[in-house]
Amino acid sequence: MQNTYSIQAFGKLIGKSTKTLQKWDRDGKLVAHRSPQSNRRYYTHDQYLEYRGLKAPEQGRTIVYARVSGVSQKPDLTNQMTALQAYCTAHEITVDEWVQDIGSGLNYKRKGFNHVMEMVELGQVRTIIIAHKDRLVRFGYDYFEAFCERHHTQLVLLHGDHLSPEQELVRDLIAIITVFSTRLHGLRSYKKVMKDAALQKDQD
């Protein structure tokens, strides 16, 4: 279900007064929805996108997204793209854009990934096709799936386990353990500093 806004919140969002929105509703310029319980006006995120001129044509774009963690895995990236292309050909899917990333599934700052998510947010994408869930993100896939649904974008998975390199999972798990180990060491060091400071204060 997409986000909705009260008339006051929507007015702030687009820089218009409540009275202006009420007039536009009456004149049919920007017709508000009505709550069945209270009959109050409300607006949807689609209406916001449309007002800003960001709403894509109804058909939207079809994007194929592929990812591997490192440069050494370029052959795996080629395998992904080959499988994705074969899938699209078999299902007679016209692809508007092919996007590839080389970067960890734990990294949400990937150039291609952010490019795709920005297009989704702007309502420009109808379908994203990926080989496996972890090709999009290693963790938190359900969040991004819900995000896409709110913007009327469908995620299509090939569920190709052979297209999800096992060494990537090992590498990502090691990265997580390293981060937490570093933070734990830092926490212990911090506690020691605080303890030493407290002892010094007592001695003073």
Side-chain angles (χ1 to χ4, degrees), residues 99-110:
V99 180
Q100 301 179 28
D101 262 332
I102 297 179
S104 170
L106 301 172
N107 178 13
Y108 293 165
K109 294 182 180 180
R110 284 170 273 138

Side-chain angles (χ1 to χ4, degrees), residues 74-86:
K74 278 191 174 182
D76 292 321
L77 186 61
T78 300
N79 291 338
Q80 274 186 65
M81 295 301 289
T82 300
L84 289 163
Q85 187 170 18

Side-chain angles (χ1 to χ4, degrees), residues 53-191:
L54 300 174
K55 191 177 177 76
E58 189 173 346
Q59 69 272 14
R61 294 173 65 81
T62 296
I63 294 176
V64 168
Y65 179 82
R67 177 193 68 80
V68 291
S69 287
V71 176
S72 63
Q73 293 175 312
K74 278 191 174 182
D76 292 321
L77 186 61
T78 300
N79 291 338
Q80 274 186 65
M81 295 301 289
T82 300
L84 289 163
Q85 187 170 18
Y87 175 87
C88 293
T89 300
H91 291 80
E92 298 182 346
I93 298 172
T94 299
V95 177
D96 298 295
E97 190 170 352
W98 300 79
V99 180
Q100 301 179 28
D101 262 332
I102 297 179
S104 170
L106 301 172
N107 178 13
Y108 293 165
K109 294 182 180 180
R110 284 170 273 138
K111 183 178 179 180
F113 172 78
N114 280 301
H115 167 65
V116 172
M117 289 299 110
E118 286 170 4
M119 291 179 67
V120 170
E121 187 174 15
L122 295 177
Q124 297 174 347
V125 183
R126 175 185 59 189
T127 307
I128 301 173
I129 304 173
I130 55 179
H132 194 274
K133 286 183 178 181
D134 64 15
R135 297 304 86 200
L136 189 67
V137 289
R138 175 63 69 186
F139 300 112
Y141 175 85
D142 289 346
Y143 167 81
F144 289 99
E145 183 179 41
F147 174 81
C148 289
E149 287 178 355
R150 287 197 301 272
H151 294 84
H152 311 293
T153 300
Q154 178 187 16
L155 278 167
V156 176
L157 305 176
L158 269 64
H159 290 294
D161 291 337
H162 63 289
L163 299 173
S164 177
E166 292 182 6
Q167 62 265 38
E168 281 198 17
L169 175 59
V170 174
R171 185 182 302 176
D172 288 342
L173 290 175
I174 291 174
I176 292 172
I177 293 171
T178 301
V179 169
F180 277 96
S181 297
T182 302
R183 289 183 178 178
L184 183 60
H185 176 73
L187 181 60
R188 287 173 178 167
S189 299
Y190 173 75
K191 285 182 177 179

